[in-house]
Short mmCIF file of all heavy atoms in Angstrom, two decimals:
data_model
loop_
_atom_site.label_atom_id
_atom_site.label_comp_id
_atom_site.label_asym_id
_atom_site.label_seq_id
_atom_site.Cartn_x
_atom_site.Cartn_y
_atom_site.Cartn_z
N LYS H 1 4.89 -2.31 18.45
CA LYS H 1 4.77 -2.25 17.00
C LYS H 1 3.33 -2.58 16.60
O LYS H 1 2.80 -3.60 17.02
CB LYS H 1 5.71 -3.24 16.39
CG LYS H 1 6.01 -3.03 14.96
CD LYS H 1 7.07 -3.97 14.51
CE LYS H 1 7.64 -3.54 13.22
NZ LYS H 1 8.69 -4.41 12.75
N ARG H 2 2.73 -1.72 15.82
CA ARG H 2 1.32 -1.95 15.42
C ARG H 2 1.31 -2.90 14.24
O ARG H 2 2.07 -2.76 13.31
CB ARG H 2 0.66 -0.64 15.02
CG ARG H 2 0.41 0.27 16.17
CD ARG H 2 -0.33 1.48 15.74
NE ARG H 2 0.33 2.09 14.59
CZ ARG H 2 0.03 3.29 14.15
NH1 ARG H 2 -0.88 3.99 14.70
NH2 ARG H 2 0.69 3.81 13.12
N ARG H 3 0.40 -3.84 14.29
CA ARG H 3 0.15 -4.75 13.17
C ARG H 3 -1.13 -4.37 12.54
O ARG H 3 -2.10 -4.08 13.18
CB ARG H 3 0.06 -6.17 13.67
CG ARG H 3 1.39 -6.70 14.16
CD ARG H 3 1.58 -8.06 13.49
NE ARG H 3 2.84 -8.60 13.87
CZ ARG H 3 3.79 -8.89 12.99
NH1 ARG H 3 3.58 -8.66 11.77
NH2 ARG H 3 4.92 -9.40 13.36
N ARG H 4 -1.13 -4.38 11.20
CA ARG H 4 -2.38 -4.14 10.48
C ARG H 4 -3.14 -5.42 10.43
O ARG H 4 -2.62 -6.45 10.11
CB ARG H 4 -2.07 -3.67 9.05
CG ARG H 4 -1.42 -2.33 9.05
CD ARG H 4 -1.07 -1.95 7.66
NE ARG H 4 -0.21 -0.80 7.69
CZ ARG H 4 -0.37 0.25 6.93
NH1 ARG H 4 -1.33 0.30 6.09
NH2 ARG H 4 0.45 1.27 7.05
N LYS H 5 -4.42 -5.30 10.73
CA LYS H 5 -5.26 -6.52 10.65
C LYS H 5 -5.61 -6.76 9.20
O LYS H 5 -5.72 -5.86 8.43
CB LYS H 5 -6.51 -6.36 11.51
CG LYS H 5 -7.44 -5.28 11.07
CD LYS H 5 -8.63 -5.23 11.97
CE LYS H 5 -9.58 -4.18 11.41
NZ LYS H 5 -10.78 -4.04 12.14
N PRO H 6 -5.71 -8.06 8.84
CA PRO H 6 -6.09 -8.36 7.45
C PRO H 6 -7.47 -7.80 7.13
O PRO H 6 -8.31 -7.70 8.01
CB PRO H 6 -6.10 -9.90 7.43
CG PRO H 6 -5.52 -10.35 8.70
CD PRO H 6 -5.53 -9.22 9.67
N MET H 7 -7.65 -7.45 5.88
CA MET H 7 -8.94 -6.91 5.43
C MET H 7 -10.01 -8.00 5.49
O MET H 7 -9.74 -9.14 5.09
CB MET H 7 -8.85 -6.40 4.01
CG MET H 7 -8.51 -4.97 3.91
SD MET H 7 -8.73 -4.22 2.27
CE MET H 7 -8.60 -5.51 1.12
N ALA H 8 -11.16 -7.64 5.95
CA ALA H 8 -12.30 -8.54 5.88
C ALA H 8 -12.71 -8.65 4.42
O ALA H 8 -12.48 -7.78 3.62
CB ALA H 8 -13.44 -7.99 6.72
N LYS H 9 -13.35 -9.78 4.10
CA LYS H 9 -13.73 -10.01 2.72
C LYS H 9 -14.64 -8.91 2.16
O LYS H 9 -14.59 -8.57 1.00
CB LYS H 9 -14.40 -11.38 2.56
CG LYS H 9 -13.42 -12.48 2.71
CD LYS H 9 -13.98 -13.77 2.21
CE LYS H 9 -12.96 -14.88 2.44
NZ LYS H 9 -12.57 -15.58 1.27
N ASN H 10 -15.51 -8.35 3.00
CA ASN H 10 -16.44 -7.34 2.53
C ASN H 10 -15.84 -5.92 2.62
O ASN H 10 -16.47 -4.98 2.18
CB ASN H 10 -17.75 -7.40 3.29
CG ASN H 10 -17.59 -7.18 4.77
OD1 ASN H 10 -16.45 -7.12 5.27
ND2 ASN H 10 -18.67 -7.05 5.48
N GLU H 11 -14.64 -5.80 3.16
CA GLU H 11 -14.00 -4.50 3.29
C GLU H 11 -13.35 -4.10 1.95
O GLU H 11 -12.68 -4.92 1.31
CB GLU H 11 -12.95 -4.56 4.39
CG GLU H 11 -12.35 -3.22 4.74
CD GLU H 11 -11.39 -3.33 5.91
OE1 GLU H 11 -11.39 -4.38 6.61
OE2 GLU H 11 -10.61 -2.41 6.09
N GLN H 12 -13.55 -2.89 1.51
CA GLN H 12 -13.00 -2.41 0.25
C GLN H 12 -11.54 -2.00 0.42
O GLN H 12 -11.16 -1.43 1.41
CB GLN H 12 -13.79 -1.19 -0.25
CG GLN H 12 -15.20 -1.54 -0.70
CD GLN H 12 -15.19 -2.19 -2.10
OE1 GLN H 12 -14.44 -3.08 -2.38
NE2 GLN H 12 -16.07 -1.67 -2.93
N PHE H 13 -10.74 -2.28 -0.56
CA PHE H 13 -9.37 -1.84 -0.58
C PHE H 13 -9.37 -0.42 -1.18
O PHE H 13 -9.78 -0.24 -2.29
CB PHE H 13 -8.52 -2.79 -1.48
CG PHE H 13 -7.04 -2.46 -1.46
CD1 PHE H 13 -6.24 -3.05 -0.53
CD2 PHE H 13 -6.51 -1.61 -2.41
CE1 PHE H 13 -4.88 -2.74 -0.52
CE2 PHE H 13 -5.15 -1.32 -2.40
CZ PHE H 13 -4.34 -1.89 -1.46
N ASP H 14 -8.96 0.53 -0.41
CA ASP H 14 -8.99 1.94 -0.85
C ASP H 14 -7.61 2.27 -1.45
O ASP H 14 -6.73 2.80 -0.78
CB ASP H 14 -9.35 2.85 0.30
CG ASP H 14 -9.69 4.25 -0.15
OD1 ASP H 14 -9.33 4.61 -1.30
OD2 ASP H 14 -10.30 5.00 0.62
N TYR H 15 -7.49 1.97 -2.73
CA TYR H 15 -6.23 2.17 -3.44
C TYR H 15 -5.80 3.63 -3.39
O TYR H 15 -4.64 3.94 -3.06
CB TYR H 15 -6.37 1.71 -4.89
CG TYR H 15 -5.10 1.81 -5.68
CD1 TYR H 15 -4.17 0.78 -5.65
CD2 TYR H 15 -4.84 2.88 -6.51
CE1 TYR H 15 -2.99 0.86 -6.35
CE2 TYR H 15 -3.67 2.98 -7.22
CZ TYR H 15 -2.73 1.95 -7.15
OH TYR H 15 -1.57 2.05 -7.85
N ALA H 16 -6.71 4.54 -3.67
CA ALA H 16 -6.40 5.97 -3.68
C ALA H 16 -5.91 6.44 -2.32
O ALA H 16 -4.98 7.23 -2.24
CB ALA H 16 -7.61 6.78 -4.15
N ALA H 17 -6.55 6.00 -1.24
CA ALA H 17 -6.14 6.40 0.09
C ALA H 17 -4.74 5.90 0.42
O ALA H 17 -3.94 6.59 1.04
CB ALA H 17 -7.14 5.91 1.12
N LYS H 18 -4.45 4.66 -0.02
CA LYS H 18 -3.13 4.10 0.25
C LYS H 18 -2.05 4.79 -0.55
O LYS H 18 -0.96 5.07 -0.06
CB LYS H 18 -3.11 2.59 0.01
CG LYS H 18 -3.94 1.88 1.07
CD LYS H 18 -3.79 0.38 0.95
CE LYS H 18 -4.70 -0.34 1.95
NZ LYS H 18 -4.18 -0.37 3.29
N VAL H 19 -2.34 5.16 -1.77
CA VAL H 19 -1.39 5.94 -2.59
C VAL H 19 -1.17 7.30 -1.95
O VAL H 19 -0.02 7.77 -1.85
CB VAL H 19 -1.89 6.07 -4.05
CG1 VAL H 19 -1.06 7.09 -4.81
CG2 VAL H 19 -1.84 4.73 -4.76
N ALA H 20 -2.23 7.93 -1.48
CA ALA H 20 -2.11 9.25 -0.82
C ALA H 20 -1.25 9.11 0.44
O ALA H 20 -0.41 10.02 0.71
CB ALA H 20 -3.48 9.82 -0.51
N ALA H 21 -1.46 8.06 1.22
CA ALA H 21 -0.68 7.86 2.42
C ALA H 21 0.81 7.66 2.06
O ALA H 21 1.70 8.20 2.76
CB ALA H 21 -1.20 6.65 3.19
N LEU H 22 1.06 6.92 1.00
CA LEU H 22 2.43 6.73 0.55
C LEU H 22 3.07 8.04 0.09
O LEU H 22 4.23 8.35 0.44
CB LEU H 22 2.49 5.69 -0.57
CG LEU H 22 3.86 5.27 -1.08
CD1 LEU H 22 4.73 4.72 0.05
CD2 LEU H 22 3.72 4.27 -2.20
N GLU H 23 2.32 8.85 -0.63
CA GLU H 23 2.81 10.16 -1.05
C GLU H 23 3.12 11.06 0.14
O GLU H 23 4.11 11.77 0.15
CB GLU H 23 1.82 10.82 -1.98
CG GLU H 23 1.73 10.16 -3.32
CD GLU H 23 0.58 10.68 -4.21
OE1 GLU H 23 -0.34 11.35 -3.68
OE2 GLU H 23 0.64 10.43 -5.43
N ASP H 24 2.28 10.96 1.19
CA ASP H 24 2.51 11.74 2.40
C ASP H 24 3.81 11.28 3.07
O ASP H 24 4.60 12.13 3.54
CB ASP H 24 1.30 11.57 3.34
CG ASP H 24 1.39 12.45 4.56
OD1 ASP H 24 1.68 13.66 4.42
OD2 ASP H 24 1.21 11.93 5.69
N ILE H 25 4.02 9.99 3.12
CA ILE H 25 5.26 9.47 3.71
C ILE H 25 6.47 9.97 2.94
O ILE H 25 7.46 10.39 3.54
CB ILE H 25 5.22 7.92 3.75
CG1 ILE H 25 4.21 7.46 4.83
CG2 ILE H 25 6.61 7.34 4.01
CD1 ILE H 25 3.91 5.99 4.82
N ILE H 26 6.40 9.92 1.63
CA ILE H 26 7.50 10.36 0.80
C ILE H 26 7.81 11.83 1.06
O ILE H 26 8.97 12.22 1.24
CB ILE H 26 7.21 10.11 -0.68
CG1 ILE H 26 7.21 8.62 -0.98
CG2 ILE H 26 8.22 10.83 -1.59
CD1 ILE H 26 6.63 8.24 -2.32
N ALA H 27 6.76 12.64 1.17
CA ALA H 27 6.95 14.08 1.43
C ALA H 27 7.63 14.30 2.79
O ALA H 27 8.54 15.12 2.90
CB ALA H 27 5.61 14.80 1.39
N LYS H 28 7.20 13.54 3.80
CA LYS H 28 7.81 13.66 5.11
C LYS H 28 9.26 13.22 5.10
O LYS H 28 10.10 13.84 5.76
CB LYS H 28 7.03 12.84 6.15
CG LYS H 28 5.66 13.44 6.47
CD LYS H 28 4.91 12.54 7.46
CE LYS H 28 3.53 13.12 7.75
NZ LYS H 28 2.72 12.20 8.56
N LEU H 29 9.58 12.16 4.35
CA LEU H 29 10.95 11.70 4.29
C LEU H 29 11.85 12.67 3.55
O LEU H 29 13.05 12.74 3.81
CB LEU H 29 11.01 10.31 3.60
CG LEU H 29 10.48 9.15 4.43
CD1 LEU H 29 10.42 7.89 3.59
CD2 LEU H 29 11.40 8.92 5.65
N GLN H 30 11.30 13.48 2.68
CA GLN H 30 12.06 14.44 1.92
C GLN H 30 12.36 15.71 2.74
O GLN H 30 13.21 16.49 2.35
CB GLN H 30 11.37 14.79 0.62
CG GLN H 30 11.37 13.65 -0.37
CD GLN H 30 10.58 13.91 -1.63
OE1 GLN H 30 9.66 14.76 -1.63
NE2 GLN H 30 10.92 13.24 -2.70
N GLN H 31 11.67 15.85 3.83
CA GLN H 31 11.93 17.03 4.72
C GLN H 31 13.23 16.80 5.49
O GLN H 31 13.46 15.72 6.03
CB GLN H 31 10.78 17.22 5.71
CG GLN H 31 9.50 17.58 5.05
CD GLN H 31 8.34 17.62 6.06
OE1 GLN H 31 8.51 17.36 7.23
NE2 GLN H 31 7.16 17.94 5.55
N SER H 32 14.06 17.79 5.49
CA SER H 32 15.36 17.64 6.16
C SER H 32 15.29 17.62 7.68
O SER H 32 16.21 17.22 8.33
CB SER H 32 16.31 18.77 5.71
OG SER H 32 15.76 20.01 6.08
N ASP H 33 14.14 18.04 8.25
CA ASP H 33 14.03 18.08 9.69
C ASP H 33 13.36 16.85 10.30
O ASP H 33 13.09 16.82 11.48
CB ASP H 33 13.28 19.34 10.11
CG ASP H 33 11.85 19.38 9.61
OD1 ASP H 33 11.50 18.60 8.69
OD2 ASP H 33 11.06 20.18 10.15
N THR H 34 13.16 15.81 9.50
CA THR H 34 12.57 14.56 10.01
C THR H 34 13.61 13.83 10.85
O THR H 34 14.71 13.54 10.36
CB THR H 34 12.07 13.64 8.89
OG1 THR H 34 11.12 14.37 8.09
CG2 THR H 34 11.42 12.40 9.40
N ALA H 35 13.29 13.53 12.10
CA ALA H 35 14.21 12.80 12.96
C ALA H 35 14.48 11.41 12.41
O ALA H 35 13.63 10.82 11.76
CB ALA H 35 13.61 12.71 14.38
N ILE H 36 15.68 10.90 12.69
CA ILE H 36 16.07 9.59 12.12
C ILE H 36 15.15 8.46 12.55
O ILE H 36 14.77 7.62 11.76
CB ILE H 36 17.54 9.26 12.45
CG1 ILE H 36 18.03 8.06 11.66
CG2 ILE H 36 17.78 9.06 13.93
CD1 ILE H 36 18.17 8.25 10.21
N ASP H 37 14.73 8.47 13.83
CA ASP H 37 13.80 7.44 14.29
C ASP H 37 12.46 7.50 13.56
O ASP H 37 11.88 6.46 13.18
CB ASP H 37 13.58 7.57 15.80
CG ASP H 37 14.78 7.18 16.62
OD1 ASP H 37 15.66 6.47 16.08
OD2 ASP H 37 14.88 7.62 17.78
N GLU H 38 11.99 8.71 13.33
CA GLU H 38 10.74 8.88 12.58
C GLU H 38 10.93 8.49 11.12
O GLU H 38 10.06 7.86 10.51
CB GLU H 38 10.30 10.36 12.67
CG GLU H 38 9.04 10.69 11.87
CD GLU H 38 7.76 10.06 12.38
OE1 GLU H 38 7.77 9.37 13.42
OE2 GLU H 38 6.71 10.29 11.77
N ALA H 39 12.06 8.84 10.56
CA ALA H 39 12.37 8.45 9.16
C ALA H 39 12.39 6.93 9.01
O ALA H 39 11.86 6.39 8.02
CB ALA H 39 13.68 9.05 8.71
N ILE H 40 12.95 6.25 9.98
CA ILE H 40 13.01 4.76 9.90
C ILE H 40 11.60 4.21 9.97
O ILE H 40 11.23 3.33 9.22
CB ILE H 40 13.90 4.21 11.02
CG1 ILE H 40 15.37 4.57 10.74
CG2 ILE H 40 13.73 2.70 11.17
CD1 ILE H 40 16.31 4.32 11.92
N ARG H 41 10.78 4.74 10.91
CA ARG H 41 9.40 4.28 11.05
C ARG H 41 8.61 4.54 9.76
O ARG H 41 7.88 3.67 9.28
CB ARG H 41 8.72 4.96 12.24
CG ARG H 41 7.32 4.42 12.54
CD ARG H 41 6.59 5.31 13.52
NE ARG H 41 6.24 6.61 12.97
CZ ARG H 41 5.26 6.85 12.08
NH1 ARG H 41 4.56 5.87 11.56
NH2 ARG H 41 5.03 8.07 11.64
N LEU H 42 8.76 5.72 9.21
CA LEU H 42 8.09 6.06 7.96
C LEU H 42 8.53 5.18 6.81
O LEU H 42 7.70 4.75 5.98
CB LEU H 42 8.34 7.54 7.61
CG LEU H 42 7.67 8.56 8.50
CD1 LEU H 42 8.20 9.96 8.22
CD2 LEU H 42 6.15 8.54 8.27
N HIS H 43 9.79 4.89 6.74
CA HIS H 43 10.31 4.00 5.68
C HIS H 43 9.69 2.62 5.79
O HIS H 43 9.24 2.04 4.78
CB HIS H 43 11.85 3.92 5.79
CG HIS H 43 12.45 3.10 4.72
ND1 HIS H 43 12.74 1.75 4.90
CD2 HIS H 43 12.80 3.40 3.45
CE1 HIS H 43 13.26 1.29 3.77
NE2 HIS H 43 13.30 2.27 2.89
N GLU H 44 9.61 2.08 7.00
CA GLU H 44 8.99 0.77 7.22
C GLU H 44 7.52 0.79 6.81
O GLU H 44 7.02 -0.14 6.15
CB GLU H 44 9.16 0.33 8.66
CG GLU H 44 10.59 -0.02 9.03
CD GLU H 44 10.80 -0.29 10.50
OE1 GLU H 44 9.84 -0.09 11.29
OE2 GLU H 44 11.88 -0.70 10.83
N GLU H 45 6.82 1.84 7.20
CA GLU H 45 5.39 1.97 6.85
C GLU H 45 5.23 2.08 5.35
O GLU H 45 4.33 1.48 4.76
CB GLU H 45 4.83 3.21 7.57
CG GLU H 45 3.34 3.34 7.39
CD GLU H 45 2.75 4.53 8.13
OE1 GLU H 45 3.40 5.04 9.09
OE2 GLU H 45 1.66 4.96 7.77
N GLY H 46 6.11 2.85 4.70
CA GLY H 46 6.08 2.99 3.25
C GLY H 46 6.30 1.67 2.53
O GLY H 46 5.60 1.37 1.57
N LYS H 47 7.26 0.87 3.04
CA LYS H 47 7.48 -0.44 2.41
C LYS H 47 6.25 -1.33 2.52
O LYS H 47 5.94 -2.04 1.57
CB LYS H 47 8.67 -1.09 3.08
CG LYS H 47 10.01 -0.54 2.66
CD LYS H 47 11.20 -1.13 3.36
CE LYS H 47 11.20 -2.60 3.55
NZ LYS H 47 12.41 -3.15 4.16
N LYS H 48 5.58 -1.25 3.64
CA LYS H 48 4.36 -2.08 3.81
C LYS H 48 3.28 -1.62 2.84
O LYS H 48 2.57 -2.44 2.23
CB LYS H 48 3.84 -1.98 5.25
CG LYS H 48 4.69 -2.71 6.24
CD LYS H 48 4.19 -2.49 7.66
CE LYS H 48 5.13 -3.09 8.69
NZ LYS H 48 4.73 -2.81 10.02
N LEU H 49 3.11 -0.32 2.70
CA LEU H 49 2.13 0.21 1.76
C LEU H 49 2.45 -0.21 0.32
O LEU H 49 1.57 -0.60 -0.42
CB LEU H 49 2.04 1.75 1.84
CG LEU H 49 1.26 2.30 3.02
CD1 LEU H 49 1.49 3.79 3.14
CD2 LEU H 49 -0.24 1.99 2.87
N VAL H 50 3.72 -0.12 -0.07
CA VAL H 50 4.11 -0.52 -1.42
C VAL H 50 3.78 -2.01 -1.63
O VAL H 50 3.27 -2.38 -2.69
CB VAL H 50 5.61 -0.23 -1.65
CG1 VAL H 50 6.12 -0.92 -2.91
CG2 VAL H 50 5.87 1.25 -1.71
N ALA H 51 4.07 -2.84 -0.65
CA ALA H 51 3.74 -4.26 -0.76
C ALA H 51 2.26 -4.49 -0.91
O ALA H 51 1.82 -5.30 -1.76
CB ALA H 51 4.28 -5.02 0.44
N GLU H 52 1.43 -3.77 -0.14
CA GLU H 52 0.00 -3.92 -0.23
C GLU H 52 -0.52 -3.45 -1.62
O GLU H 52 -1.36 -4.13 -2.21
CB GLU H 52 -0.70 -3.10 0.86
CG GLU H 52 -0.52 -3.61 2.25
CD GLU H 52 -1.13 -2.71 3.28
OE1 GLU H 52 -1.95 -1.82 2.93
OE2 GLU H 52 -0.77 -2.87 4.49
N LEU H 53 0.01 -2.35 -2.06
CA LEU H 53 -0.40 -1.82 -3.39
C LEU H 53 0.00 -2.76 -4.51
O LEU H 53 -0.79 -3.03 -5.44
CB LEU H 53 0.18 -0.42 -3.61
CG LEU H 53 -0.42 0.67 -2.74
CD1 LEU H 53 0.47 1.89 -2.75
CD2 LEU H 53 -1.82 1.01 -3.18
N ASN H 54 1.21 -3.29 -4.43
CA ASN H 54 1.66 -4.25 -5.46
C ASN H 54 0.82 -5.50 -5.48
O ASN H 54 0.44 -6.00 -6.54
CB ASN H 54 3.13 -4.58 -5.28
CG ASN H 54 4.04 -3.50 -5.78
OD1 ASN H 54 3.68 -2.70 -6.63
ND2 ASN H 54 5.26 -3.46 -5.23
N ALA H 55 0.51 -6.02 -4.30
CA ALA H 55 -0.34 -7.23 -4.22
C ALA H 55 -1.72 -6.98 -4.79
O ALA H 55 -2.26 -7.80 -5.53
CB ALA H 55 -0.44 -7.69 -2.75
N TYR H 56 -2.27 -5.81 -4.52
CA TYR H 56 -3.58 -5.44 -5.06
C TYR H 56 -3.55 -5.37 -6.57
O TYR H 56 -4.44 -5.90 -7.26
CB TYR H 56 -4.03 -4.11 -4.45
CG TYR H 56 -5.36 -3.64 -4.99
CD1 TYR H 56 -6.56 -4.19 -4.50
CD2 TYR H 56 -5.44 -2.66 -5.95
CE1 TYR H 56 -7.78 -3.72 -4.97
CE2 TYR H 56 -6.66 -2.22 -6.44
CZ TYR H 56 -7.82 -2.76 -5.95
OH TYR H 56 -9.02 -2.32 -6.42
N LEU H 57 -2.52 -4.72 -7.11
CA LEU H 57 -2.38 -4.60 -8.57
C LEU H 57 -2.18 -5.92 -9.23
O LEU H 57 -2.71 -6.19 -10.32
CB LEU H 57 -1.26 -3.63 -8.92
CG LEU H 57 -1.51 -2.16 -8.57
CD1 LEU H 57 -0.27 -1.34 -8.81
CD2 LEU H 57 -2.70 -1.63 -9.33
N GLU H 58 -1.39 -6.80 -8.60
CA GLU H 58 -1.18 -8.15 -9.16
C GLU H 58 -2.51 -8.93 -9.21
O GLU H 58 -2.81 -9.61 -10.18
CB GLU H 58 -0.12 -8.91 -8.37
CG GLU H 58 1.29 -8.36 -8.59
CD GLU H 58 2.31 -8.95 -7.65
OE1 GLU H 58 1.98 -9.91 -6.89
OE2 GLU H 58 3.44 -8.44 -7.67
N LYS H 59 -3.26 -8.84 -8.13
CA LYS H 59 -4.56 -9.51 -8.08
C LYS H 59 -5.49 -8.94 -9.16
O LYS H 59 -6.21 -9.68 -9.83
CB LYS H 59 -5.19 -9.34 -6.71
CG LYS H 59 -6.46 -10.09 -6.52
CD LYS H 59 -6.99 -9.97 -5.12
CE LYS H 59 -8.34 -10.65 -4.99
NZ LYS H 59 -8.97 -10.46 -3.68
N ALA H 60 -5.49 -7.63 -9.31
CA ALA H 60 -6.31 -7.01 -10.33
C ALA H 60 -5.92 -7.47 -11.74
O ALA H 60 -6.79 -7.71 -12.58
CB ALA H 60 -6.21 -5.47 -10.25
N GLU H 61 -4.61 -7.61 -11.97
CA GLU H 61 -4.14 -8.06 -13.27
C GLU H 61 -4.62 -9.48 -13.55
O GLU H 61 -5.06 -9.80 -14.66
CB GLU H 61 -2.60 -8.01 -13.33
CG GLU H 61 -2.06 -8.39 -14.66
CD GLU H 61 -0.54 -8.29 -14.73
OE1 GLU H 61 0.11 -8.11 -13.71
OE2 GLU H 61 -0.03 -8.42 -15.87
N VAL H 62 -4.56 -10.35 -12.54
CA VAL H 62 -5.04 -11.73 -12.70
C VAL H 62 -6.53 -11.73 -13.03
O VAL H 62 -6.98 -12.46 -13.92
CB VAL H 62 -4.76 -12.56 -11.42
CG1 VAL H 62 -5.50 -13.88 -11.46
CG2 VAL H 62 -3.26 -12.77 -11.27
N THR H 63 -7.29 -10.90 -12.35
CA THR H 63 -8.74 -10.79 -12.58
C THR H 63 -9.01 -10.31 -14.03
O THR H 63 -9.86 -10.88 -14.73
CB THR H 63 -9.40 -9.84 -11.57
OG1 THR H 63 -9.13 -10.33 -10.28
CG2 THR H 63 -10.89 -9.72 -11.81
N ILE H 64 -8.28 -9.30 -14.47
CA ILE H 64 -8.48 -8.77 -15.81
C ILE H 64 -8.13 -9.82 -16.87
O ILE H 64 -8.87 -9.99 -17.85
CB ILE H 64 -7.64 -7.49 -16.01
CG1 ILE H 64 -8.26 -6.38 -15.16
CG2 ILE H 64 -7.58 -7.10 -17.49
CD1 ILE H 64 -7.41 -5.15 -15.02
N ARG H 65 -7.03 -10.52 -16.65
CA ARG H 65 -6.66 -11.58 -17.61
C ARG H 65 -7.72 -12.69 -17.66
O ARG H 65 -8.03 -13.19 -18.76
CB ARG H 65 -5.30 -12.16 -17.25
CG ARG H 65 -4.18 -11.19 -17.52
CD ARG H 65 -2.81 -11.87 -17.36
NE ARG H 65 -1.76 -10.90 -17.38
CZ ARG H 65 -1.19 -10.41 -18.46
NH1 ARG H 65 -1.64 -10.78 -19.65
NH2 ARG H 65 -0.20 -9.53 -18.38
N ALA H 66 -8.30 -13.03 -16.54
CA ALA H 66 -9.35 -14.05 -16.51
C ALA H 66 -10.58 -13.57 -17.27
O ALA H 66 -11.19 -14.32 -18.03
CB ALA H 66 -9.74 -14.37 -15.06
N ILE H 67 -10.94 -12.31 -17.10
CA ILE H 67 -12.09 -11.73 -17.83
C ILE H 67 -11.81 -11.73 -19.32
O ILE H 67 -12.68 -12.06 -20.12
CB ILE H 67 -12.37 -10.31 -17.31
CG1 ILE H 67 -12.93 -10.38 -15.87
CG2 ILE H 67 -13.37 -9.61 -18.21
CD1 ILE H 67 -12.99 -9.03 -15.17
N GLU H 68 -10.59 -11.35 -19.71
CA GLU H 68 -10.23 -11.33 -21.12
C GLU H 68 -10.29 -12.72 -21.71
O GLU H 68 -10.74 -12.92 -22.84
CB GLU H 68 -8.82 -10.73 -21.31
CG GLU H 68 -8.74 -9.21 -21.07
CD GLU H 68 -7.32 -8.70 -21.10
OE1 GLU H 68 -6.37 -9.52 -21.04
OE2 GLU H 68 -7.18 -7.50 -21.25
N THR H 69 -9.83 -13.70 -20.98
CA THR H 69 -9.86 -15.08 -21.44
C THR H 69 -11.27 -15.58 -21.64
O THR H 69 -11.58 -16.29 -22.60
CB THR H 69 -9.10 -16.00 -20.45
OG1 THR H 69 -7.75 -15.52 -20.32
CG2 THR H 69 -9.06 -17.43 -20.95
N GLU H 70 -12.19 -15.22 -20.70
CA GLU H 70 -13.55 -15.61 -20.80
C GLU H 70 -14.26 -15.00 -21.99
O GLU H 70 -15.16 -15.63 -22.57
CB GLU H 70 -14.31 -15.22 -19.50
CG GLU H 70 -13.92 -16.01 -18.30
CD GLU H 70 -14.57 -15.48 -17.02
OE1 GLU H 70 -15.38 -14.55 -17.11
OE2 GLU H 70 -14.24 -16.00 -15.95
N SER H 71 -13.88 -13.81 -22.35
CA SER H 71 -14.60 -13.12 -23.42
C SER H 71 -14.05 -13.44 -24.79
O SER H 71 -14.56 -12.94 -25.80
CB SER H 71 -14.58 -11.62 -23.18
OG SER H 71 -13.25 -11.13 -23.19
N VAL H 72 -13.04 -14.29 -24.90
CA VAL H 72 -12.47 -14.64 -26.18
C VAL H 72 -13.22 -15.79 -26.80
O VAL H 72 -13.81 -16.60 -26.29
CB VAL H 72 -10.98 -14.97 -26.10
CG1 VAL H 72 -10.44 -15.55 -27.37
CG2 VAL H 72 -10.22 -13.75 -25.67
#
């Protein structure tokens, strides 16, 4: 099982690339010829991407709220 290494502080989070990867997974899962083992692997990978995207959006929301508070 491959583990994703944590992002280095100077590494950019590529939101668009992760969304595209998730869309690709969804398309593959919607194909009727996807083997069950592959579908399970894709589902797990998709769940990880969703978690990463949600965490990024939550962090962005906190940052935006802090900026809004500072400018009031």
Side-chain angles (χ1 to χ4, degrees):
K1 198 174 197 180
R2 290 185 308 193
R3 289 228 178 241
R4 293 176 192 227
K5 64 180 184 179
M7 268 192 336
K9 289 196 183 237
N10 61 350
E11 189 176 344
Q12 291 281 48
F13 185 89
D14 193 342
Y15 184 85
K18 290 188 183 281
V19 169
L22 184 58
E23 289 172 344
D24 186 48
I25 288 170
I26 292 168
K28 288 177 183 174
L29 287 171
Q30 291 175 335
Q31 295 173 358
S32 61
D33 63 344
T34 302
I36 189 71
D37 291 338
E38 177 69 1
I40 291 169
R41 186 192 67 74
L42 289 168
H43 183 266
E44 290 173 352
E45 187 178 339
K47 283 176 44 177
K48 289 177 186 174
L49 282 169
V50 167
E52 290 175 16
L53 290 164
N54 282 336
Y56 178 79
L57 291 174
E58 288 171 8
K59 184 177 177 184
E61 183 178 10
V62 168
T63 301
I64 290 168
R65 290 188 190 277
I67 291 169
E68 288 174 344
T69 302
E70 290 173 4
S71 62
V72 172

